[in-house]
Amino acid sequence: MEKITIVGAGLAGSLLSVYMAKKGFAVDVYERRPDMRKAAISAGKSINLALSVRGIHALKEVGLYDEIKKISIPMYGRMIHSIDGVTQFQQYGKDNSEYINSVSRGDLNKKLMDLADEFRSVKFHFNKRCMGMNLDKNELYFHDELTQANIAVKSKVTVATDGATSPIRMEMLKIPRFDFSQEYENYGYKELHIPPNDDGSFKMETNALHIWPRGSFMLIALPNMDGSFTCTLFIAYDRSLGGNASFEYLDTREKVSDFFKENFPDALEIMPSLLEDFFGNPTGTLITVKSYPWCVDGKLAMLGDSCHAIVPFFGQGMNAAFEDCIYLNECITNSPGKWNDIFNNYQQMRKANTDAIADLAQENFVEMRDLVADPRFLLEKKIESELYKRFPDTFVPKYTMVTFMRIPYSTALNRGKIQASILHALSDCKSSIDEIDWTAAETLVKKELAPLNY
Ligand SMILES: Cc1cc2nc3c(=O)[nH]c(=O)nc-3n(C[C@H](O)[C@H](O)[C@H](O)COP(=O)(O)OP(=O)(O)OC[C@H]3O[C@@H](n4cnc5c(N)ncnc54)[C@H](O)[C@@H]3O)c2cc1C
């Protein structure tokens, strides 16, 4: 049985181990943390995640989606909370058949591991921190966090799924002509909590992703299965950028309390543990990583955040990592045993697309924190949805292309730019959708866009 080593048993590594076992490989997965199914450890960054079509497709391929569906909460749109407490619902898709799903990161990871454990050919090695590798010797080096022993492991074929701070990627830096960039946002995030009502029911609309857009900062909330919401506050680090809406400024309980009273009064009422959460939970960083190449000879490939970490504003990081698994699996099918071809084909299929979703995710931060409350943006959204109705094969909203379809992210990015300019031209000097000249709109759409081949 041919052997594959996977470094990192997070979301992508655990899913990949199932794909590989189904292909008939013996799979060794090395993970620096303890087994999260046994130890009471947090699954790391963000408690819940938005799962959409690309990720769902992968879960369907490995036969896990029905299980995950049971622990997912559909979110049909954004619920925008204005400062005076008025809420407005903005549907994500054309109707309720298009939605994203709130799912617990930890539960999803555990279910993927459980599925992998059903294959006798998969072996997880927990508490093994990867310290590096030697590609000439086909060796990986681990530190056992329990025994403090250092271990060398032979591996001919390795896939690194060791996340945004990937130690394997650090090794790649030694390779000639390896391109690498990492860009930290000047914003960080803090996870906060809205508990359920005493009877276990939700304190706000369940089937929505709640957003409190405040221009240069925002609060969001996603529902959990236990009736609670996990909120995430995104604000600047430095006072010079964010003023009072900055981690630097918000350094006392009084300041945090006043900040919420001023900016999120409706949320504050239902956040009894705000101050404990704010000062007890870590401040998360937001990073975009781009790298190339992702593979070396037929020996090593990187996958998921290790080669393309993105900011979370399109809810696509995990979905993109799961899509990597779909494509890598397909490349294995197409060139059995030829690892050099497999890894090269996989990176050629994915690189431009993960660069595209990185850009889309950065753009979407501005849309989420600011534009969703802007009248011109709202008018453009109305025009967009009308154009989608009139030309369903040609004018497909960017959000739909990214979230509800599996077309390449690069196509979504390129068409999204053209569509944005059409919407901008049509909404110019208009205050209502009734003022739109639909004949001119049709001419513009047909001139600028070919039907989407999907
Ligand atoms: C706040 C936030 C919200 C997000 N929301 C969404 C969302 O709504 N939808 C979405 O699709 N994506 C979302 N993402 C992105 C998503 O979390 C990542 O894209 C996804 O986790 C990538 O999976 P991965 O397996 O590549 O990396 P990870 O999930 O980070 O897994 C990496 C694994 O490698 C292990 N590891 C690290 N170093 C070593 C080492 N030295 N040795 C051995 N093991 C190691 C880690 O312990 C971990 O288990 C969000 C991210 C953040 C930060």
Side-chain angles (χ1 to χ4, degrees):
M1 215 181 214
E2 198 177 352
K3 199 177 119 178
I4 294 195
T5 309
I6 296 175
V7 182
L11 293 168
S14 302
L15 173 66
L16 187 67
S17 70
V18 179
Y19 268 110
M20 296 301 99
K22 281 178 166 263
K23 272 265 178 299
F25 297 110
V27 191
D28 280 294
V29 190
Y30 290 85
E31 165 60 44
R32 77 167 173 204
R33 293 180 299 183
D35 186 345
M36 64 170 77
R37 294 165 296 179
K38 295 181 187 146
I41 53 161
S42 117
K45 56 198 173 185
S46 84
I47 287 164
N48 51 22
L49 298 150
L51 169 71
S52 52
V53 158
R54 294 166 201 265
I56 289 173
H57 187 79
L59 294 174
K60 281 184 179 165
E61 283 197 341
V62 298
L64 193 64
Y65 182 56
D66 289 344
E67 280 268 302
I68 300 303
K69 206 172 157 71
K70 289 184 208 150
I71 54 163
S72 303
I73 301 176
M75 297 181 289
Y76 299 109
R78 300 159 162 165
M79 185 67 82
I80 306 297
H81 295 244
S82 51
I83 214 147
D84 54 9
V86 173
T87 53
Q88 189 210 13
F89 183 74
Q90 296 173 3
Q91 185 131 14
Y92 279 134
K94 58 179 182 314
D95 54 38
N96 272 4
S97 67
E98 292 182 329
Y99 54 86
I100 57 175
N101 301 275
S102 178
V103 62
S104 149
R105 174 193 288 273
D107 289 346
L108 176 54
N109 212 149
K110 287 176 198 166
K111 289 217 179 270
L112 283 165
M113 287 178 177
D114 284 345
L115 179 59
D117 268 343
E118 287 178 17
F119 295 85
R120 283 172 52 200
S121 53
V122 178
K123 186 156 175 31
F124 285 100
H125 306 262
F126 294 103
N127 302 298
K128 305 284 182 295
R129 178 188 290 271
C130 181
M131 308 298 285
M133 74 181 300
N134 183 326
L135 281 164
D136 295 329
K137 291 187 178 170
N138 288 336
E139 269 181 359
L140 287 157
Y141 305 110
F142 296 96
H143 179 74
D144 189 314
E145 303 279 16
L146 298 180
T147 64
Q148 308 305 323
N150 290 326
I151 312 153
V153 171
K154 284 275 179 206
S155 171
K156 278 192 182 160
V157 179
T158 303
V159 183
T161 51
D162 47 354
T165 55
S166 165
I168 298 276
R169 194 184 61 231
M170 292 302 163
E171 293 292 330
M172 296 285 277
L173 289 171
K174 297 174 192 161
I175 290 168
R177 298 177 60 226
F178 178 69
D179 288 334
F180 168 64
S181 69
Q182 66 175 32
E183 187 186 341
Y184 278 99
E185 297 294 321
N186 290 321
Y187 284 78
Y189 70 90
K190 185 75 84 175
E191 288 201 338
L192 305 166
H193 183 67
I194 295 177
N197 289 315
D198 290 342
D199 63 1
S201 59
F202 289 91
K203 284 197 191 291
M204 302 186 293
E205 166 58 44
T206 314
N207 297 110
L209 192 156
H210 294 261
I211 309 183
W212 291 257
R214 296 294 180 262
S216 61
F217 58 98
M218 68 174 179
L219 179 71
I220 67 167
L222 274 73
N224 297 312
M225 293 295 286
D226 65 356
S228 68
F229 286 87
T230 301
C231 304
T232 314
L233 174 69
F234 295 93
I235 52 172
Y237 279 105
D238 303 328
R239 201 168 172 181
S240 57
L241 178 70
N244 290 4
S246 65
F247 287 111
E248 187 185 5
Y249 173 77
L250 295 173
D251 59 357
T252 66
R253 294 170 74 91
E254 199 188 349
K255 283 181 187 171
V256 173
S257 197
D258 288 348
F259 175 69
F260 269 75
K261 256 181 224 150
E262 193 184 326
N263 295 292
F264 312 115
D266 58 339
L268 177 63
E269 275 176 29
I270 50 177
M271 297 174 89
S273 58
L274 169 68
L275 298 176
E276 289 69 37
D277 295 341
F278 192 93
F279 290 104
N281 292 343
T283 304
T285 56
L286 298 166
I287 192 172
T288 301
V289 168
K290 289 184 181 171
S291 61
Y292 192 82
W294 292 357
C295 57
V296 184
D297 303 330
K299 296 178 173 190
L300 168 71
M302 296 188 292
L303 185 149
D305 274 15
S306 65
C307 47
H308 56 75
I310 61 176
V311 292
F313 304 113
F314 228 122
Q316 284 295 310
M318 165 191 65
N319 287 286
F322 281 9
E323 198 171 53
D324 287 351
C325 297
I326 297 174
Y327 280 88
L328 180 57
N329 187 52
E330 200 178 298
C331 292
I332 295 172
T333 308
N334 293 340
S335 311
K338 297 181 183 160
W339 287 102
N340 201 21
D341 293 353
I342 291 167
F343 286 163
N344 275 319
N345 293 340
Y346 148 75
Q347 76 171 355
Q348 289 316 319
M349 284 174 162
R350 297 302 291 154
K351 170 65 180 159
N353 290 308
T354 56
D355 281 354
I357 190 59
D359 296 348
L360 285 160
Q362 282 179 322
E363 272 171 36
N364 220 43
F365 187 25
V366 182
E367 178 166 327
M368 281 179 90
R369 69 175 196 233
D370 197 3
L371 298 180
V372 284
D374 176 85
R376 172 113 184 230
F377 174 81
L378 296 176
L379 174 60
E380 288 186 3
K381 280 278 152 202
K382 282 189 191 153
I383 303 171
E384 179 180 65
S385 123
E386 183 58 30
L387 288 175
Y388 186 26
K389 267 190 216 135
R390 288 174 186 241
F391 315 109
D393 302 324
T394 307
F395 201 103
V396 182
K398 182 172 78 178
Y399 190 86
T400 300
M401 288 189 281
V402 170
T403 312
F404 303 128
M405 297 171 110
R406 295 183 50 235
I407 60 167
Y409 286 126
S410 54
T411 307
L413 176 69
N414 294 336
R415 293 182 74 99
K417 281 183 188 154
I418 298 170
Q419 293 177 181
S421 66
I422 293 174
L423 293 172
H424 214 66
L426 293 175
S427 62
D428 193 31
C429 301
K430 306 282 192 306
S431 54
S432 145
I433 190 152
D434 301 331
E435 298 166 36
I436 303 301
D437 175 348
W438 294 109
T439 314
E442 179 168 2
T443 311
L444 196 55
V445 168
K446 293 203 166 147
K447 180 171 160 254
E448 299 293 336
L449 288 168
L452 184 58
N453 193 7
Y454 175 65

